[in-house]
Amino acid sequence: MYPEDLKYTAEHEWVKAGEGPVRVGITDFAQDALGDIVYVQLPEVGTAVRAGDSCGELESTKSVSDLFAPVNGTVRAVNEALADQPDLVNTDPYGEGWLLDIEVDDDEEVAALMDADTYQGQLDQS
């Protein structure tokens, strides 16, 4: 159910590693739990983020939820399309609804995140 090529956090963020910065978004589970997202607040490019710290907010018709940095690093890009189309997070959480790109301080942090099976197991237990 969850893409195998991604890593996951307990706070329901996903991380896609590749060449250069990692891409970050929220999982399908998270967007479903939040409901219709109407506003996304993201950090400015160049902002240093620390794993586990709030680095933005997602506002839905139900509530406002913090976005937590999955790794330590520096924000290299944010999804500008979300300013006009925050619902992309709902309709395409693993594609057009991505949130930000982070230049990771230590690649080992990404490797330490959950794989898809572990993340699914965590959801099954809750």
Side-chain angles (χ1 to χ4, degrees):
M1 171 161 186
Y2 294 95
E4 297 284 334
D5 62 331
L6 304 177
K7 293 290 197 166
Y8 299 89
T9 71
E11 292 77 29
H12 311 290
E13 285 92 21
W14 57 260
V15 175
K16 182 176 179 98
E19 295 297 315
V22 298
R23 179 147 286 178
V24 177
I26 64 169
T27 65
D28 186 58
F29 174 86
Q31 72 78 24
D32 186 56
L34 285 170
D36 294 335
I37 295 174
V38 296
Y39 179 73
V40 177
Q41 177 196 345
L42 297 170
E44 302 221 356
V45 172
T47 301
V49 295
R50 300 218 22 96
D53 287 355
S54 176
C55 66
E57 290 181 339
L58 300 167
E59 184 177 333
S60 72
T61 54
K62 294 181 183 179
S63 65
V64 176
S65 295
D66 284 325
L67 171 67
F68 296 99
V71 292
N72 294 325
T74 304
V75 176
R76 291 295 173 220
V78 296
N79 188 347
E80 302 287 348
L82 299 179
D84 295 325
Q85 293 181 282
D87 61 315
L88 287 173
V89 176
N90 294 113
T91 59
D92 193 8
Y94 300 109
E96 295 298 316
W98 67 276
L99 299 172
L100 54 120
D101 290 346
I102 299 174
E103 181 91 28
V104 180
D105 289 346
D106 182 357
D107 290 335
E108 292 298 315
E109 289 182 58
V110 176
L113 296 173
M114 288 183 271
D115 62 20
D117 288 341
T118 305
Y119 178 69
Q120 181 65 57
Q122 174 191 291
L123 294 178
D124 293 344
Q125 290 179 359
S126 52

